């Protein structure tokens, strides 16, 4: 069992930056693929960034490429999402998710554990 707790959300002006953190409990964090999803009101939850177990393989949604960076520290059981050049359309609840299978996928049902979410609001 893995429990995930996100932090770092908040209100920021367009063009600003935020760093989200997701702390995982348990000793198996390094054996999970990690993903950051987001869900805006009235929209489906979408994968923003994904990271392999070792950190050597990543996925980014086209909408965030070049602006967001996902990373992990397996010694600290933590995954991060650095978000730069934020835009109002980045406003959403951001969720951290973990997957036991060793491949990154955009399918939400294929992730085994989820955090409670953290709100990110970008003002224009």
């Amino acid at each position: 069992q893995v429990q995930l707790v996100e932090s770092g959300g908040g209100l920021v002006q367009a063009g600003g930056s935020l760093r989200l953190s997701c702390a995982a409990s348990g000793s198996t964090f390094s054996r999970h693929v990690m993903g950051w999803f987001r869900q805006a009101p009235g929209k489906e939850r979408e994968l923003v960034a994904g990271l392999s177990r070792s950190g050597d393989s990543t996925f980014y949604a086209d909408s965030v490429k070049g602006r967001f960076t996902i990373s992990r520290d397996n010694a600290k059981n933590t995954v991060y999402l650095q978000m730069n050049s934020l835009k109002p359309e980045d406003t959403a609840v951001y969720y951290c998710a973990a997957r036991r299978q060793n491949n990154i996928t955009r399918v939400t049902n294929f992730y085994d554990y989820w955090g409670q979410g953290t709100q990110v609001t970008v003002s224009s």
Side-chain angles (χ1 to χ4, degrees):
Q1 190 79 6
V2 175
Q3 291 185 324
L4 304 173
V5 179
E6 302 99 334
S7 61
L11 174 64
V12 64
Q13 288 188 333
S17 298
L18 283 174
R19 188 175 84 153
L20 305 182
S21 299
C22 173
S25 65
S27 60
T28 62
F29 174 76
S30 62
R31 297 204 293 267
H32 288 76
V33 162
M34 301 301 297
W36 282 100
F37 288 77
R38 69 185 180 189
Q39 188 166 20
K43 294 189 176 182
E44 292 188 353
R45 193 171 297 190
E46 63 170 347
L47 180 65
V48 172
L51 186 61
S52 63
R53 293 170 175 174
S54 62
D56 60 354
S57 179
T58 58
F59 166 86
Y60 293 98
D62 287 343
S63 58
V64 306
K65 280 181 181 176
R67 300 188 298 122
F68 290 11
T69 303
I70 187 171
S71 61
R72 67 191 297 163
D73 185 337
N74 286 341
K76 295 183 178 180
N77 281 10
T78 302
V79 62
Y80 305 96
L81 185 68
Q82 178 66 44
M83 305 185 295
N84 298 329
S85 302
L86 283 161
K87 305 175 180 180
E89 51 263 43
D90 294 318
T91 295
V93 177
Y94 283 71
Y95 298 89
C96 173
R99 169 170 164 76
R100 290 190 295 266
Q101 296 296 319
N102 192 23
N103 65 295
I104 300 169
T105 175
R106 287 178 285 185
V107 180
T108 57
N109 288 346
F110 289 174
Y111 284 78
D112 303 292
Y113 306 103
W114 291 85
Q116 81 289 352
T118 186
Q119 177 70 47
V120 171
T121 303
V122 184
S123 63
S124 57

